[in-house]
């Protein structure tokens, strides 16, 4: 796994590209994009990541995924969590920052991705033709998942449009600011739970 400062978790190789492309990608790169954009954490913010088998965290993940995929028996045995904490955008002249997170988890047979969005204040850096003061305009950030096979991929609605700034209010599991995918046998929840526990959003 490679945790890239541009809002991407990639496999086998880093992703240096900061202006996003829609999925599927022509070159077949597999990666998870919680918020693929022109991040510059030198100007502000931090990027953290950890691999964990902590029982408390795995129990929370298991509880959530059992709600979102009630027909799939799943008990998390491992997780990898990457967090971009109040990160700035390239060319920023403001104090705007974005906070978002990607969690990958497995029981060794099934695998899931959880994307969490806490605070999104900008969409674009100046290298992607964004405004240095507002962090808007140009080519906005992209969010979703790309398997690399040109068949299994998902573009979260609003990606590469100004609407991506509202991703903290959208969801596919009835928890604002959270998107979840099964990625070993690609599935996106279509029947959302009636009452998901929003207190468990942050990992």
């Amino acid at each position: 796994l490679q945790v890239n400062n541009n809002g991407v978790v990639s496999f086998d190789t880093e992703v240096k590209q900061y202006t996003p492309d829609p999925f599927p990608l022509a070159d077949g790169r597999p990666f998870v994009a919680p918020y693929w954009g022109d991040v510059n954490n030198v100007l502000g913010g931090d990027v953290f990541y950890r691999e964990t088998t902590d029982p408390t965290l795995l129990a929370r993940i298991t509880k959530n995924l059992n709600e979102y995929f009630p027909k799939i028996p799943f008990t998390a045995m491992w997780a990898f969590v990457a967090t971009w904490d109040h990160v700035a955008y390239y060319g920023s002249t403001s104090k705007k920052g974005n906070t978002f997170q990607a969690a990958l988890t497995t029981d060794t047979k099934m695998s899931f991705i959880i994307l969490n969005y806490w605070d999104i204040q900008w969409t674009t850096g100046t290298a992607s033709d964004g405004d240095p003061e507002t962090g808007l305009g140009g080519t906005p950030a992209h969010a979703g998942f790309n398997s690399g096979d040109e068949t299994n991929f998902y573009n979260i609605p609003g990606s590469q449009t100004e609407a991506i700034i509202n991703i903290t209010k959208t969801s596919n599991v009835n928890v604002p600011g959270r998107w979840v995918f099964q990625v070993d046998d690609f599935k996106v929840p279509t029947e959302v739970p009636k009452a998901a526990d929003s207190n468990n959003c942050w990992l």
Side-chain angles (χ1 to χ4, degrees):
L1 291 173
Q2 298 275 345
V3 177
N4 305 269
N5 74 322
N6 58 1
V8 169
V9 177
S10 57
F11 304 91
D12 298 326
T13 184
E14 63 181 328
V15 176
K16 295 182 179 180
Q17 182 179 338
Y18 45 79
T19 301
D21 289 320
F23 300 147
L25 300 176
D27 59 10
R29 286 173 295 170
F31 62 74
V32 182
Y35 204 80
W36 184 12
D38 203 359
V39 174
N40 187 342
N41 55 302
V42 174
L43 289 178
D46 295 288
V47 182
F48 305 99
Y49 59 89
R50 68 191 192 277
E51 182 180 14
T52 182
T53 55
D54 175 68
T56 302
L57 179 61
L58 294 181
R60 286 176 55 193
I61 292 173
T62 298
K63 179 178 181 292
N64 288 164
L65 290 176
N66 288 340
E67 289 178 351
Y68 309 149
F69 296 84
K71 297 179 181 179
I72 300 175
F74 178 81
T75 301
M77 297 180 65
W78 172 93
F80 183 89
V81 183
T83 304
W84 289 257
D85 183 27
H86 201 71
V87 290
Y89 54 93
Y90 186 83
S92 172
T93 59
S94 73
K95 294 184 179 180
K96 288 185 174 183
N98 287 348
T99 300
F100 54 93
Q101 183 182 75
L104 288 63
T105 186
T106 185
D107 66 355
T108 74
K109 294 182 180 179
M110 292 179 286
S111 300
F112 294 86
I113 292 169
I114 303 169
L115 304 181
N116 291 316
Y117 302 91
W118 184 257
D119 187 21
I120 300 297
Q121 300 179 357
W122 60 266
T123 65
T124 325
T126 58
S128 301
D129 298 322
D131 183 275
E133 184 175 346
T134 65
L136 306 174
T139 303
H142 193 92
F145 167 78
N146 189 69
S147 69
D149 62 7
E150 297 187 6
T151 300
N152 297 306
F153 63 90
Y154 190 80
N155 298 302
I156 289 180
S159 289
Q160 290 188 273
T161 76
E162 60 183 16
I164 196 65
I165 202 166
N166 297 317
I167 199 168
T168 57
K169 301 175 184 177
T170 65
S171 176
N172 65 336
V173 291
N174 205 31
V175 180
R178 171 169 282 189
W179 287 79
V180 182
F181 312 98
Q182 182 181 357
V183 292
D184 58 284
D185 179 19
F186 190 63
K187 293 184 180 70
V188 178
T190 54
E191 297 180 8
V192 297
K194 293 182 180 179
D197 187 352
S198 60
N199 293 324
N200 285 335
C201 279
W202 211 236
L203 304 172

